[in-house]
């Protein structure tokens, strides 16, 4: 690991900490999620060693319904940290500076949503971001900067890439653990079979991952939108939009040539679903063999039980398993069989495992599985994709540059 961590940071300092507390907002209420629990570890450690801890984070984007204040986030974070977290409705103005100056050792403050600052959002070079009023004003109040927001590390925003150029900078515990686990597929050597479970709704992303990992992964197990698009390329009448669906045809147009090339060149590595599940006229789960589908007339919402049995065997024969995306609509228990079945197989197998993406990791909690049965459960989405494909993460790069 080529950046400094909390182990390198002397205690008793004024520390500015970038978290990613971006959360679902329902009817104006911010929802608790795994990110609060994870980031609380870093915040608690800093507070307990006597640092004066000032946190900043984002929520939504301007114009979106979930673009709200972080006032509620402070209360949720406090519950997870086990200490009071004060909130100030300001980011780098006089009110924020006064609140920062009034902190005692071990106290915690959360600043207002950084995306309410004009300097934050436009992507620009770290050098440009370091010169913004936002970064220059805040940096003057601190001894050190800690970036714990791995899940936003693919962005070139001021709070992520500007501060390392003007303050001694360190990775928090989430940044450290996420980076180590998510780069494992590119950097670790595995003696046995490496398997990747590919699903979700963003087929373009996962197809890019498959294309980039041709020499690192031995078996791909497909489901979700990508799985249907590969079946379509293989000649089956699925992977198409039907009434009420608009997920397939556009992504097919974008990726058809790549999918066909992957099937032709590496078809022996790619396992497609044998059967698919749908909702029947009575509202129950029903399944059909892929080879028996004459025409797609409604949406398929999961892989079938025959497919799960095949995938189960592959997982249990693997030394490492990486998951990106769900195999079905697991939020509906009727269509959780594929996603949960594969996760259960991984949990019961003594393999190195990384479950990536916020949606898929939610299934672990929803269906009573234990995170302890997986090597790592990632809270990152876009950054996880970047790590798997080997694309640079700007916020990590600046941490590495300043440490060397």
């Amino acid at each position: 690991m080529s950046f400094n961590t909390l182990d390198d940071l002397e205690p008793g300092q004024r520390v500015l900490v970038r978290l990613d507390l971006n959360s679902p907002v329902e009817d104006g209420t911010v929802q608790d999620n795994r990110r609060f629990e994870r980031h609380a570890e870093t915040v608690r450690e800093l507070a307990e060693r006597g640092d004066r801890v000032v946190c900043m984070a984002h929520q939504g984007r301007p114009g979106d319904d979930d673009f709200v204040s972080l006032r509620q986030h402070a209360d949720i974070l406090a519950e997870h940290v086990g200490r009071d977290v004060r909130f100030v409705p300001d980011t780098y103005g006089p009110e924020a500076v006064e609140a920062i100056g009034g902190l005692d050792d071990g106290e915690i403050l959360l600043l207002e949503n950084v995306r309410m600052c004009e300097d934050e959002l436009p992507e620009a070079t770290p050098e440009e971001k370091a010169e913004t009023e936002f970064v220059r004003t805040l940096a003057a109040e601190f001894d050190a900067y800690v970036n714990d927001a791995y899940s936003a590390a693919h962005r070139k925003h001021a709070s992520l890439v500007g501060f390392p150029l003007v303050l001694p900078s360190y990775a928090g515990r989430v940044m450290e653990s996420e980076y180590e686990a998510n780069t494992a597929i590119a950097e670790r050597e595995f003696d046995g079979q490496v398997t990747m479970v590919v699903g979700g709704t963003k087929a373009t992303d996962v197809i890019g991952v498959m294309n980039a990992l041709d020499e690192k992964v031995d078996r791909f197990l497909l489901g979700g939108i990508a799985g249907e698009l590969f079946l379509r390329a293989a000649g089956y009448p699925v992977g198409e939009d039907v009434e009420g669906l608009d997920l397939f045809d556009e992504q097919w147009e974008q990726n058809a040539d790549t999918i066909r090339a992957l099937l032709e060149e590496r078809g022996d590595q790619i396992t497609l679903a044998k059967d698919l599940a749908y909702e029947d006229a009575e509202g129950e789960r029903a399944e059909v063999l892929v080879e028996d589908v004459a025409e797609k007339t409604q949406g398929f919402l999961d892989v079938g039980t025959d497919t799960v049995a095949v995938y189960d065997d592959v997982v249990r024969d693997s030394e490492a398993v990486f998951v990106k995306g769900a195999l079905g609509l697991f939020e509906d228990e009727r269509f959780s069989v594929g996603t949960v079945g594969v996760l259960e197989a991984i949990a019961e197998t003594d393999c190195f495992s990384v479950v990536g993406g916020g949606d898929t990791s939610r299934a672990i909690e929803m269906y009573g599985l234990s995170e302890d049965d997986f090597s790592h459960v990632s809270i990152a989405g876009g950054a996880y994709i970047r790590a798997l494909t080997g694309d640079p993460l700007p916020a990590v790069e600046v941490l590495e540059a300043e440490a060397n």
Side-chain angles (χ1 to χ4, degrees), residues 72-367:
Q72 295 178 59
H73 297 67
D75 293 334
I76 300 171
L77 183 61
E79 291 178 16
H80 288 282
V81 174
R83 287 176 175 239
D84 287 342
V85 176
R86 289 170 52 199
F87 172 75
V88 58
D90 187 20
T91 309
Y92 67 97
E95 190 175 357
V97 171
E98 182 180 355
I100 293 165
L103 284 180
D104 290 329
D105 292 352
E107 291 190 331
I108 305 165
L109 176 71
L110 178 63
L111 303 176
E112 184 57 282
N113 189 344
V114 292
R115 288 187 175 172
M116 293 180 178
C117 303
E118 288 186 10
D119 291 338
E120 169 69 358
L121 269 185
E123 300 240 1
T125 66
E127 290 76 16
E128 290 173 293
K129 289 301 188 183
E131 292 299 324
T132 60
E133 182 183 3
F134 166 40
V135 171
R136 286 292 177 182
T137 303
L138 264 189
E141 304 299 318
F142 293 94
D143 303 307
Y145 166 78
V146 172
N147 191 343
D148 209 31
Y150 178 86
S151 49
H154 55 304
R155 305 293 188 190
K156 294 180 182 177
H157 296 159
S159 63
L160 297 160
V161 300
F163 289 99
L165 274 63
V166 294
L167 282 172
S169 297
Y170 306 83
R173 297 307 184 195
V174 170
M175 175 68 77
E176 183 181 356
S177 63
E178 289 275 358
Y179 178 83
E180 184 175 0
N182 295 341
T183 56
I185 197 166
E187 297 181 355
R188 284 183 59 164
E189 293 291 331
F190 298 102
D191 295 328
Q193 177 172 278
V194 177
T195 297
M196 172 161 275
V197 181
V198 174
T201 59
K202 297 178 181 177
T204 301
D205 285 350
V206 294
I207 290 166
V209 170
M210 293 176 66
N211 213 21
L213 295 178
D214 57 338
E215 296 181 2
K216 293 288 184 179
V217 175
D218 302 300
R219 295 288 297 273
F220 291 99
L221 309 179
L222 268 62
I225 304 300
E228 272 201 65
L229 293 181
F230 271 79
L231 286 169
R232 178 173 175 174
Y236 297 99
V238 299
E240 305 162 351
D241 286 334
V242 293
E243 187 175 352
L245 280 179
D246 59 358
L247 295 168
F248 293 92
D249 290 341
E250 183 177 342
Q251 294 194 79
W252 170 255
E253 291 173 11
Q254 294 172 352
N255 299 288
D257 291 343
T258 304
I259 294 171
R260 291 192 181 103
L262 285 168
L263 279 176
E264 183 176 343
E265 297 164 13
R266 292 158 49 205
D268 57 338
Q269 295 175 270
I270 298 170
T271 305
L272 304 179
K274 297 176 62 177
D275 53 351
L276 298 168
Y278 61 95
E279 183 180 39
D280 67 15
E282 283 73 44
E284 301 294 329
R285 176 189 175 102
E287 298 185 355
V288 60
L289 291 172
V290 171
E291 61 187 26
D292 291 341
V293 177
E295 179 186 3
K296 183 176 180 180
T297 57
Q298 61 179 315
F300 295 110
L301 303 175
D302 194 11
V303 296
T305 50
D306 287 353
T307 301
V308 176
V310 173
Y311 290 4
D312 182 286
D313 288 341
V314 175
V315 166
R316 293 179 192 275
D317 286 338
S318 301
E319 184 186 350
V321 182
F322 294 80
V323 180
K324 182 61 186 89
L327 297 181
L329 188 68
F330 70 83
E331 293 88 348
D332 185 327
E333 190 172 357
R334 296 170 300 169
F335 303 107
S336 65
V337 173
T339 302
V340 176
V342 166
L343 289 175
E344 287 177 340
I346 296 170
E348 294 168 9
T349 302
D350 185 20
C351 64
F352 178 83
S353 57
V354 178
V355 178
D359 287 344
T360 315
S361 62
R362 273 196 303 121
I364 292 173
E365 183 176 359
M366 281 184 65
Y367 291 96

Side-chain angles (χ1 to χ4, degrees), residues 360-382:
T360 315
S361 62
R362 273 196 303 121
I364 292 173
E365 183 176 359
M366 281 184 65
Y367 291 96
L369 299 171
S370 172
E371 283 197 22
D372 295 339
D373 290 329
F374 304 88
S375 304
H376 183 70
V377 178
S378 177
I379 56 174

